[in-house]
Amino acid sequence: MIDSSYQALGPDADRTNDARIARVELDVPLQGPFDYRLPDGMMPALGARVVVPWGRTRRVGLVAGLALESDLPPERLRDVEALLDQESLLSGHWWTLVRFAAAYYHRPVGEIALPALPKPLRAVPARRARGSALDRWRERWDKMPEAPAQSVPSASSTGPVPLLAQQAAIDALCATRGFATVLLHGVTGSGKTEVYLRWFEHLLRTPTAQVLLLVPEIALTPQFVRLVQQRFPSERVAVLHSGLADAERATHWLAAAEGRARLVVGTRLSVLAPLPALAGVVVDEEHDPSYKQHEGAQYSARDLSIVLARQRDVPVVLGSATPSLETWHAAMRGRYRMLSLPDRTSGAAPPRVRLIALPRQGAPGPASARMQHGLMPPVVQAIGECVARGEQALVFLNRRGYAPVLSCGNCGWVSGCDNCSAFRVLHRGSAGEAAARYRLVCHHCGADGPVPRNCPTCGNVDLSALGRGTQRIEEGLAALFPQARIARIDRDAARRRGATQAMLDDAHAGRTDILVGTQMLAKGHDFARLTRVVVVDADSGLFSADFRAPERMFATLTQVAGRAGRAGLDSEVLVQTRYPDHPLFDALAAHDFARFADLQLDERRDAHLPPFVHQALLRADAKQVDEALVFLSQARLAAAELEAALPEDGARVTLYDPVPMPMVRVAGRERAQLLLESASRKRLHRLLDAWLDRLREQRTSVRWSLEVDPVEI
């Protein structure tokens, strides 16, 4: 997590009416800005979009500064071809945040700035285009149905009466002035969303104020948008996420950028939206790893939200039942203010957690034989009783597909991927696909092919599916409970447009008895009749090489357990595990996040892991892993030389040896990584600045990238 004292400063652009040079930022992997000559009569505003030549192509760039002259010789300067904006919607506040992000994550400014714009705004218009696309998008927003006129948004008039703890949190937020980072720590079902809405009502009493609500996943935006629209009928809501059609996203972005949309709901990309009158920010489920961007510039939207709030001098609320350990540590140290919601709004006790011991490998056969379709007898009984009462059950398995692997029992062949160090997963096709009913799919590179008729190695026709995915669990439940209405919600089911929402609507309406799904079902959903949750296999994160795995596992299990009993009905969570005595499950059963977090922080302190140190990860990939390792070894030598030259300040940067990544081969490329860490964030970044200059000078066929504050190692 970015410390609030960390500053990334960039030079302000020169501004003069006599400027002849435009300094333009482009979405290219090179440090800008790039100088272009301004034609006579063209004087763009800072932040305006321009079309410029780049090699043999044309690109849209942003004017980051103006100058009287360039360091380049006149014969090398090329002209700005077109000015797309007479004025800029990108304020100085926006540039400050973008420059901070570029400096902190050590990326070119253009790689942060341009992708933050909707695609139509960074696409080169056809030379024959007429009229202003911006005007057309303004008209689209203005033609949306008007909400009933209302002088003040009315969250309180339609919402439930807050509990005492909720009201205390609302009062504390409404009394907050200026920048503050607030952790709203509430158990699942404690009404964190109601606190957000009441605070928004307070902020929006200022006529021009805007508020930003970040959610971790696209799938959660519709329900938040509906709720916000219901509670603030006089306000139209701007929605910002990558799943929108290009024109729709541009319409909403423009309304937010011009201040016409005062309520903005979006995923991680919305943190970089220019909001001229920002009054407050909420990051819901702040612990969720989805807030980390993994393509292009690898920034954390959660962390940038804190920086944004500090720069704009407004409060930011981080909401979670299971805060990230970085956030929890900051709250325990007093850097963040913590507001607690210890009880469910329904008044019901949290669901009971019952640990169901799975037979371990090598255990006597009879125990294993009692399992039915991967479910232990107490689990089958609990689901049956739940359905018989007219209630709902949720069966959770964070593994989509039919089975993780297809195997030959004769020779040991398994369905490996030719392009990746991973298995191809057995998937069952939709009904009616006949010959293509089962397929083998790689979840990493997307390779997709038919199931072989016999073993490719020995010819054996008796191939076996090993393990279970959500499709196989769904099939088993249908056999166990033939009269039950079963719905599976995972990424495969979500590919059909509107399918996920239709299934969720059925579940809310009581037309579904058993829900089967992955983490898509674990957060944000409120099923009134859901009283039993089954976790099929809870052991995946206990012994992972990634030190964050237990934290993620505890968060996921807490979230999925929190779906049960939200309406006050008697509820229970059944967790199948081979390690029922593990301390993580003790804390889970006690609903005691603080105990779990404190144990994890003690381990990390002893092991010198975040949040007690700061990390950066250099990744490299090549055709052969040895090429990547050689590149990283040379990079390590350069880093060691630069580190030794830094002044002594009591904190050194540790450089670990390059190693292959846990999954070496992906999509035909082999990967390795080099970890750097230091107790001093300042020293680590000083080293990275000098080191990256060295790396960029190298000519190599190896592809490499740097991630600051990596979330997976």
Side-chain angles (χ1 to χ4, degrees), residues 553-572:
M553 178 180 167
F554 189 91
T556 299
L557 294 179
T558 299
Q559 292 292 330
V560 73
R563 298 313 101 200
R566 295 171 74 91
L569 298 175
D570 178 71
S571 59
E572 186 176 44

Side-chain angles (χ1 to χ4, degrees), residues 219 394-400 470-471 474 486-496 499-508 512 514-522 525 527:
L394 187 158
V395 179
F396 174 80
L397 176 62
N398 207 21
R399 186 187 304 128
R400 61 190 176 95
T470 50
Q471 290 181 331
E474 178 190 26
I486 302 172
R488 173 173 53 85
I489 299 179
D490 55 23
R491 196 186 306 173
D492 297 321
R495 286 174 180 163
R496 301 188 301 276
T500 300
Q501 193 57 51
M503 287 187 284
L504 290 172
D505 290 343
D506 284 344
H508 286 292
T512 302
I514 304 174
L515 285 161
V516 182
T518 59
Q519 62 183 358
M520 289 181 66
L521 281 174
H525 303 295
F527 305 108

Side-chain angles (χ1 to χ4, degrees), residues 554-634:
F554 189 91
T556 299
L557 294 179
T558 299
Q559 292 292 330
V560 73
R563 298 313 101 200
R566 295 171 74 91
L569 298 175
D570 178 71
S571 59
E572 186 176 44
V573 179
L574 297 95
V575 180
Q576 296 191 159
T577 173
R578 292 174 181 83
Y579 306 95
D581 297 327
H582 196 283
L584 183 148
F585 294 124
D586 287 342
L588 180 72
H591 301 281
D592 192 345
F593 172 78
R595 184 204 306 179
F596 168 77
D598 292 343
L599 287 172
Q600 285 289 302
L601 286 171
D602 287 344
E603 290 182 9
R604 292 197 189 180
R605 184 183 292 106
D606 293 341
H608 301 285
L609 291 170
F612 303 100
V613 298
H614 310 286
Q615 296 179 327
L617 193 67
L618 182 66
R619 296 187 178 94
D621 68 81
K623 292 183 178 180
Q624 300 294 328
V625 70
D626 287 345
E627 297 177 59
L629 289 171
V630 167
F631 169 83
L632 292 177
S633 296
Q634 294 171 345

Side-chain angles (χ1 to χ4, degrees), residues 303-361:
D303 292 356
L304 285 185
S305 295
I306 298 171
V307 176
L308 168 66
R310 186 191 69 218
Q311 292 177 348
R312 301 294 293 274
D313 196 29
V314 301
V316 55
V317 176
L318 310 179
S320 179
T322 54
S324 67
L325 292 185
E326 287 84 356
T327 296
W328 184 258
H329 181 59
M332 293 299 99
R333 291 172 57 201
R335 282 184 50 221
Y336 297 171
R337 181 179 184 183
M338 186 163 73
L339 303 175
S340 296
L341 303 178
D343 302 311
R344 287 185 157 193
T345 56
S346 65
R352 299 182 306 278
V353 176
R354 183 160 38 132
L355 301 176
I356 308 297
L358 289 170
R360 298 199 187 189
Q361 190 172 11

